[in-house]
Amino acid sequence: MDNPIWLIAAVVLILVAVIAIVAVRARGTDSAVVDIEPSRPKGLLAAGLGRILRGNLDDRTWEHLEELLLSADVGVEPTTDIVERVRSAGPSTVEEARSLLSEALKAQFLAHGRELSLTAKPAVVLVIGVNGSGKTTTIAKLAHRLTQEGRTVILGAADTFRAAAGEQLDTWAKRVGVDVVMGQQGGDPASVAFDAVSSAKAKGGDVVIVDTAGRLHGKKNLMAELQKIHRVLSAEAGVSEVLLVLDATSGQNGLAQVEQFGEAVPLTGILLAKLDGTARGGIVVAVERRLGVPVKFVGLGERLEDLRPFDPEVFVDDLLEES
């Protein structure tokens, strides 16, 4: 026992055991809601405003404010409206200008309710969006949130076009602890959606969340496919929500790509994914203005718990928060 090698070995074994215990406990938190505040887009405009709103407020001030809002992805029309609202009010101090800017930003958001309509049993939620937008992950986060509220959720893997799409959704379903109804690759997506609703009815499920294809090429066929799924679901159980998943990091170009979805099926809300991954949080303003439907949830991190209800008041306050 005088040999130091034995002592070193014992210390190493203890350290390994401690690390293993910590890792097991960390994995155990995946299935529970952890009250940790995710990253929010705080102060994204504050730094720029600090350089713009100082001293005399003149025409150059409003030009620079317009440039700042456009660089934050607010969009041309909302930016024009916001700057005009602030400028025409004739603020005489920086504090007044900031207050008016806050009011103008909040005025851009729709007055619609942002809660999910899930009163039907089962409530059917159709989720659409382009591939790569974070759609499947967002579905898993939504399913997790609903199960934490005590609802029984069943997923429908109606993206039968993309290779391994069903397997990916199945992996998330196992992690969340919900059932998933799958079909054959290349099969009829509407049939999968129908089977998912039938399964929910038989099992007494509360919510069915249906994933769909999101290939950008062959848009005409995709839109026809989505319309068929919507018709089938409407006839079988009614569609409570049609939610579009949009990647916040894709900016104005990404927004332009998804406008056709709203023309194909009646959107009820937006799930804005990856908001924590962009420094241009103004895209939230542009989304509501351009698509005419409310942002209901935003993705603010990688964890299952990081899908949060969207509150325009809090969002604008965070954008303008000074460090």
Side-chain angles (χ1 to χ4, degrees), residues 1 11 15 26 43 48 52 88-91 141 152 160 174 187 196 207-208 250 256 259 267 269 276 312-313:
M1 294 297 293
V11 172
L15 288 174
I52 295 171
S88 62
K141 291 178 179 179
T152 303
T160 60
K174 288 183 171 64
V207 183
V208 180
S250 64
E259 284 186 297
L267 299 179
D276 59 311
E313 297 274 335

Side-chain angles (χ1 to χ4, degrees), residues 144-167:
H144 175 73
R145 183 176 189 88
L146 295 177
T147 58
Q148 293 299 304
E149 294 175 357
R151 303 177 192 269
T152 303
V153 178
I154 293 178
L155 304 183
D159 181 357
T160 60
F161 180 84
R162 183 168 61 91
E167 287 78 4

Side-chain angles (χ1 to χ4, degrees), residues 19-176:
I19 292 171
I21 292 172
V22 171
V24 169
R25 288 182 177 177
R27 286 197 299 269
T29 64
D30 282 349
S31 59
V33 173
V34 182
D35 190 18
I36 300 175
E37 185 67 16
S39 173
R40 297 214 304 263
K42 290 193 172 185
L44 295 180
L45 292 179
L49 288 175
R51 294 188 296 269
I52 295 171
L53 299 180
R54 65 163 97 185
N56 295 326
L57 303 177
D58 52 25
D59 289 342
R60 292 193 63 187
T61 302
W62 312 128
E63 290 175 3
H64 290 319
L65 177 58
E66 182 178 279
E67 292 170 359
L68 176 64
L69 293 173
L70 289 174
S71 68
D73 255 343
V74 172
V76 175
E77 289 185 10
T79 292
T80 301
D81 182 63
I82 291 167
V83 173
E84 180 58 25
R85 283 172 181 258
V86 177
R87 185 195 63 77
S88 62
S92 58
T93 67
V94 169
E95 290 72 22
E96 287 181 8
R98 280 184 173 274
S99 177
L100 288 166
L101 176 59
S102 176
E103 293 175 7
L105 280 166
K106 292 173 182 178
Q108 300 302 308
F109 292 100
L110 301 171
H112 295 74
R114 297 177 187 276
E115 301 80 12
L116 294 178
S117 176
L118 302 176
T119 55
K121 188 176 176 72
V124 177
V125 179
L126 183 63
V127 182
I128 61 180
V130 301
N131 292 338
S133 63
K135 178 162 54 71
T136 306
T137 305
T138 301
I139 287 173
K141 291 178 179 179
L142 179 59
H144 175 73
R145 183 176 189 88
L146 295 177
T147 58
Q148 293 299 304
E149 294 175 357
R151 303 177 192 269
T152 303
V153 178
I154 293 178
L155 304 183
D159 181 357
T160 60
F161 180 84
R162 183 168 61 91
E167 287 78 4
Q168 184 183 5
L169 192 65
D170 184 49
T171 298
W172 277 111
K174 288 183 171 64
R175 183 177 175 186
V176 176

